[in-house]
Amino acid sequence: MPHGPRPSSGNPVGAFFLGFLASVVVSLVYGGIVYATYRDQSQNTVHALYVLHALLNGAVVGALVGLVAHRRTGAHVSGAAVAVLGTFFGYTNAVVFVTLDAGGLYAFRDMMQGDAFIPAKAWWGNGGGGRLVSLAGLVIAAATAWGLAHLVGRNRR
């Protein structure tokens, strides 16, 4: 039928899971980079790496979601949410990696027994500009993921 409903294309569930897998990989790579270089990092370097991680995580997730889900807006939004979560957990996992390297399993055990939210508190910062950078990273990840998913998916049928 020329004016009837079009058959839908794209796979939003597959796009979500592929975006999730890509986000996990990007976050683990970010955690590995932080783990390998944390002794030589200044506060500005930490912030720059975090923002770059947010941008890369959003770009990878958004491009994959757009390729697989095509024009499905719900999948674009879920890709943005996955990129935000990947950005947050990439940072918190890097804090855990550094804690394990600096103090070993005893430091990790003490952290878990004392306050299990230390990685999240480290992400939030000690006040000042750290909080703005933390929130900006989440906004960058979400905007990049949604924007790329929309641009890539718009051209696919």
Side-chain angles (χ1 to χ4, degrees):
M1 299 181 83
H3 300 290
R6 290 183 179 171
S8 63
S9 68
N11 184 353
V13 175
F16 171 80
F17 284 112
L18 185 61
F20 177 74
L21 178 66
S23 181
V24 168
V25 169
V26 170
S27 296
L28 286 174
V29 168
Y30 168 73
I33 290 170
V34 170
Y35 169 73
T37 62
Y38 76 92
R39 288 187 174 104
D40 301 326
Q41 290 182 3
S42 67
Q43 193 65 24
N44 290 336
T45 305
V46 170
H47 292 320
L49 278 175
Y50 172 71
V51 170
L52 287 173
H53 167 242
L55 187 65
L56 181 64
N57 202 326
V60 169
V61 170
L64 289 174
V65 166
L67 284 172
V68 175
H70 306 286
R71 295 181 183 221
R72 302 289 184 102
T73 305
H76 299 171
V77 172
S78 71
V82 165
V84 165
L85 290 173
T87 300
F88 173 75
F89 284 113
Y91 188 91
T92 56
N93 288 338
V95 170
V96 171
F97 295 160
V98 169
T99 302
L100 281 170
D101 186 52
L105 289 175
Y106 292 112
F108 179 73
R109 184 195 64 189
D110 291 343
M111 179 181 69
M112 289 292 113
Q113 288 177 348
D115 187 5
F117 291 107
I118 287 176
K121 290 177 181 177
W123 170 81
W124 186 242
N126 297 329
R131 291 180 181 172
L132 292 176
V133 172
S134 298
L135 294 176
L138 299 183
V139 171
I140 288 168
T144 304
W146 185 85
L148 271 177
H150 181 73
L151 285 175
V152 171
R154 177 179 69 182
N155 297 328
R156 311 247 332 152
R157 294 200 181 249

